Amino acid sequence: MAVTLSLVALFGLVLFFLLRSNNLGYGSAFVATGFGFFLASTGAAGPINQLATAVIDALGNL
């Protein structure tokens, strides 16, 4: 739960700055999609949460 809330805040913040700077491209589409999935917690959010948790765990083990 804490990881999900942190990722929603991170994606939201990054998306806010991308929209504000008018720097819209493939990267901002990825950020907007990630933000939407985490925020809405759709059926696809489970695998995305697992992937994000695995990446965070892997970064912690470096």
Side-chain angles (χ1 to χ4, degrees), residues 4-62:
T4 302
L5 292 176
S6 298
L7 288 174
V8 167
L10 176 67
F11 278 128
L13 187 64
V14 170
L15 185 60
F16 171 77
F17 285 116
L18 286 173
L19 291 171
R20 186 173 168 112
S21 69
N22 291 329
N23 186 10
L24 302 175
Y26 294 113
S28 57
F30 172 76
V31 170
T33 303
F35 179 71
F37 276 121
F38 281 110
L39 187 61
S41 295
T42 63
I48 293 173
N49 282 335
Q50 291 173 355
L51 175 66
T53 302
V55 169
I56 290 169
D57 290 341
L59 290 176
N61 292 330
L62 290 179

